[in-house]
Amino acid sequence: FNPSMAPVSRKLVQIGRVAMVNYGPETGKLVTIINVIDGTRVLVDGPRSVTGISRQSFPIKRLSLTSIVVNITRDASTTQLEKRWKEQNIMEQWKASGWSKKQEIRAKRA
């Protein structure tokens, strides 16, 4: 095995990365990483008006990272985040993704 030939992951834990909650009562909802607390936890915000999740700390292992990144600064306010989500059409980007379409199909089958 040659490590230099290994595929490079483009989904990094970074400020502005949109992720989906994969465990707990908020499963399936989108959040935006606002700040990295340490190697295992991040500060996320929905924003609540769009996704229904308010600002809180989340373990990284309970998040599935998407390829969508919002252009925000560290510790951006909720109003700034809402504004960026609307400007960058984040929900439309999400709905156009294959991941979202797969979830819709599964929901129809259930």
Side-chain angles (χ1 to χ4, degrees), residues 53-81:
I53 296 184
S54 56
R55 188 170 292 220
Q56 58 188 295
S57 170
F58 246 94
I60 293 172
K61 67 182 182 178
R62 290 191 179 182
L63 298 174
S64 298
L65 302 176
T66 68
S67 58
I68 303 168
V69 180
V70 183
N71 186 17
I72 58 170
T73 59
R74 185 168 56 91
D75 292 325
S77 69
T78 302
T79 53
Q80 289 174 335
L81 184 60

Side-chain angles (χ1 to χ4, degrees), residues 16 20-21 26 29-30 33 35 39 51 54 56 89 94-95 98 103 105 109:
M20 187 174 66
V21 179
E26 289 91 8
K29 294 183 180 179
L30 294 178
I33 297 175
N35 199 349
T51 66
S54 56
Q56 58 188 295
N89 297 322
W94 170 249
K95 289 177 183 173
Q103 279 189 324
I105 291 169
R109 287 184 191 159

